[in-house]
Amino acid sequence: MRNHDDESDAMNVGGILIAGPAKGPLRGDIIVPGDKSMSHRSVMLASLADGVTEIHGFLPGEDNISTAQMFIDMGVKIEWLNDEKTSLRIHGVGLHGLKAADAVLDAGNAGTCVRLMTGVLAGQDFASTISGDASLCKRPMRRVVDPVRKMGAQVDGGDGGNLLPLTISGGKLKAIQHVSEVASAQVKSCVLLAGLYAEGVTRVNEPKPTRDHTERMLPLFGQPVEVAEDGTISLAPTDQLSAPDHAVDIPADPSSACFFAVAASLVPGSDVTLKSIGINARRDGWRRVMKAMGADLTLLNEASVGKEPVADVRVRAGGLHGMVVDANDVPDAIDEFPVLFAAACLADGEFVLADAAELRVKESDRIAVMAQALLAAGASIAEKADGAVIQGLPALSGNADVDAHGDHRIAMAMAVAAQRAKGEIRIHNAAAIATSFPNFVALAQSIGMNVCWAEDD
Ligand code: S3P
């Protein structure tokens, strides 16, 4: 178990990336690792199912390993089928087969893990305590605690249950109709997972549609989920999830691919193909934003992996221009805004993002932290309460030290921005890249990006 006593964990996690400028066009095909959201869900559903499930294309990032470890701690047998930890076999224990863990369940840096597990733990007839690293301990949990309390679970935590660690005593839940104030797939999924255990039909409404991987994956385990015309999502309780007949295949993560899409758009002469990435509309906001910015993106080889649509996306360098982001695209691109900010700083004209205050409660305050880092690198960006206004420049000055604040996506976004800087950018506290994209640097180098790890000073 990791030790999270040290308050500096999130702010001083080590790892310095030295990035940019690109030495020439970026070229090649890239296969990015498996989808983080789906990897979490696959472990959860397979562990709660009766029978044995094989999962392929799993993301072996620290966040997903935290989820797997949590189920191991509660008595689930998980076999890794290869050294890379991209294939695994899970011996499900059934919806009522988990055992109380001996110690605090540790979600590390993973918001998706802790929020979805709040729903799972609410359904158990034993008490569990769940916590995470210093960054996760600052993130709001009331959004998931309130609904599971209404369903009948008892939850104790800091700030009236808003902060980790949370102690969740579950069992005997009743269904609710949850009208979520935030557009959050984590909240929706938490309530649906608790709903598996509740008496009655659980319903969820969200202010804007969010990623629907839980709804798509539950039927693979024999559990139908209905989505009505008005967007209401409903799920009936069950006694059993069943391991699927076939392995669960997880497509490549569009949120990881997007870093290379932006890099290839920014570096003149580049031509990069992102192989077989998820293009589910609820994850495809980044492509809509980039197209509206004038990016040269071509979809090839459309297919499906499991219940998810995928395609190759060919990206050729193109003169990006500014735009106003459509508020409806915000949830569908929520994880991509750090790198889209980097694109906007190097586009022609003004880029405006509003209605995106959720960015302030991610692994870091992504509006403040990106603004600080981009300003230090020579960009023109004004922070707004719920977004940013950016004036594009032909190049960043670079020759700067910036702080990723232990946030994986900030570190990778700044490595991309650096490709069109005049001097290098040193990105501190970047080690968290391993939470979602352990081989980012190797893949970036494979298409010619100028980025490497330095020794900590
Ligand atoms: C996720 C949902 C999003 C996203 C996160 C993964 C998920 O969070 O930012 O990286 O897997 O459900 P919110 O639901 O809080 O928007």
Side-chain angles (χ1 to χ4, degrees), residues 368-457:
V369 171
M370 273 311 288
Q372 206 178 17
L374 285 167
L375 282 172
S380 169
I381 171 168
E383 221 187 291
K384 302 286 168 195
D386 64 348
V389 176
I390 295 171
Q391 311 297 335
L393 299 169
L396 299 181
S397 42
N399 292 315
D401 286 87
V402 302
D403 190 345
H405 287 259
D407 183 333
H408 54 138
R409 298 202 199 279
I410 304 289
M412 292 185 277
M414 289 309 298
V416 169
Q419 302 308 306
R420 232 174 73 193
K422 291 179 189 144
E424 72 178 26
I425 298 179
R426 291 166 298 280
I427 306 157
H428 297 257
N429 294 320
I433 286 174
T435 62
S436 71
F437 201 164
N439 60 343
F440 168 75
V441 169
L443 282 185
Q445 289 171 346
S446 78
I447 53 164
M449 276 173 68
N450 185 7
V451 56
C452 63
W453 288 105
E455 292 300 313
D456 272 333
D457 50 13

Side-chain angles (χ1 to χ4, degrees), residues 17-18 25 31 54 56 58 68 72 81 96 110 139 141 144 225 250 277 293 349 379 406 408 441 455:
L17 270 186
I18 301 187
I31 302 176
E54 274 194 20
H56 300 297
F58 184 77
I72 294 168
L81 302 178
H96 301 282
R139 295 181 65 187
M141 297 299 150
V144 287
V225 181
I250 295 177
I277 62 169
M293 292 177 80
H408 54 138
V441 169
E455 292 300 313

Side-chain angles (χ1 to χ4, degrees), residues 36-37 41 112 115 143 183-186 211 334-335 362:
K36 180 153 81 78
S37 294
R41 287 156 173 83
T112 305
R115 297 214 177 99
R143 54 183 63 195
S184 164
Q186 295 177 351
R211 65 191 69 191
I334 194 69
D335 291 339
K362 295 293 178 187

Side-chain angles (χ1 to χ4, degrees), residues 220-242:
L220 295 179
F221 291 84
Q223 174 65 25
V225 181
E226 273 181 33
V227 184
E229 287 262 302
D230 70 352
T232 304
I233 301 143
S234 45
L235 168 140
T238 183
D239 290 333
Q240 197 184 30
L241 297 179
S242 311

